[in-house]
Amino acid sequence: MPAPAAYTGAGVTAFGDLRRNLYRGPFQQNWDFSLIKHFRITERQDLRFTADFFNIWNHANFGNPGLNDVETTLCSTPGVGSCSAEGRLPQSETPFGKINSTVGTPRLIQLSLRYAF
């Protein structure tokens, strides 16, 4: 039987001792770039060319790994197929901790031409 003194400091709403941002996803970066050239045709007429590049380096930004699918490690038919005798799937077949998606957008290029008079 554990000593009751071990549980006196922690209540139901007490904070734990894990540090902040303990679980992090993969590094993400997204670089945007714009080029603008302004042409003055006459005193009252302008032409502006703009080229916008979103995610210019086209980095793949991967999503966070699955954290809340631990219950899928259990299977209903122990000892059948890839299910072990203890009723668990092998780690290679569970979605827990795996990255299955990307976030953000691929490289986008937007060109615009504006004539003002």
Side-chain angles (χ1 to χ4, degrees), residues 46-64:
D46 293 341
L47 188 67
R48 186 176 73 184
F49 173 73
T50 306
D52 297 317
F53 301 90
F54 304 102
N55 193 9
I56 190 168
W57 309 124
N58 203 22
H59 283 277
N61 293 318
F62 297 105
N64 290 327

Side-chain angles (χ1 to χ4, degrees), residues 18-107:
L18 288 178
R19 64 183 171 85
R20 183 173 175 253
N21 295 329
L22 177 68
Y23 299 109
R24 294 184 181 228
F27 177 72
Q28 296 181 4
Q29 60 179 341
N30 189 9
W31 291 58
D32 298 337
F33 184 73
S34 292
L35 287 174
I36 299 171
K37 178 63 178 169
H38 191 234
F39 301 98
R40 184 161 304 267
I41 299 170
T42 64
E43 186 176 321
R44 299 183 67 190
Q45 296 178 351
D46 293 341
L47 188 67
R48 186 176 73 184
F49 173 73
T50 306
D52 297 317
F53 301 90
F54 304 102
N55 193 9
I56 190 168
W57 309 124
N58 203 22
H59 283 277
N61 293 318
F62 297 105
N64 290 327
L67 295 175
N68 54 357
D69 287 338
V70 177
E71 65 274 1
T72 59
T73 62
L74 303 175
C75 52
S76 59
T77 54
V80 177
S82 61
C83 187
S84 67
E86 295 86 28
R88 294 197 174 274
L89 290 171
Q91 180 64 30
S92 61
E93 294 186 18
T94 62
F96 179 72
K98 294 182 181 174
I99 297 175
N100 297 325
S101 64
T102 58
V103 294
T105 57
R107 179 188 306 137

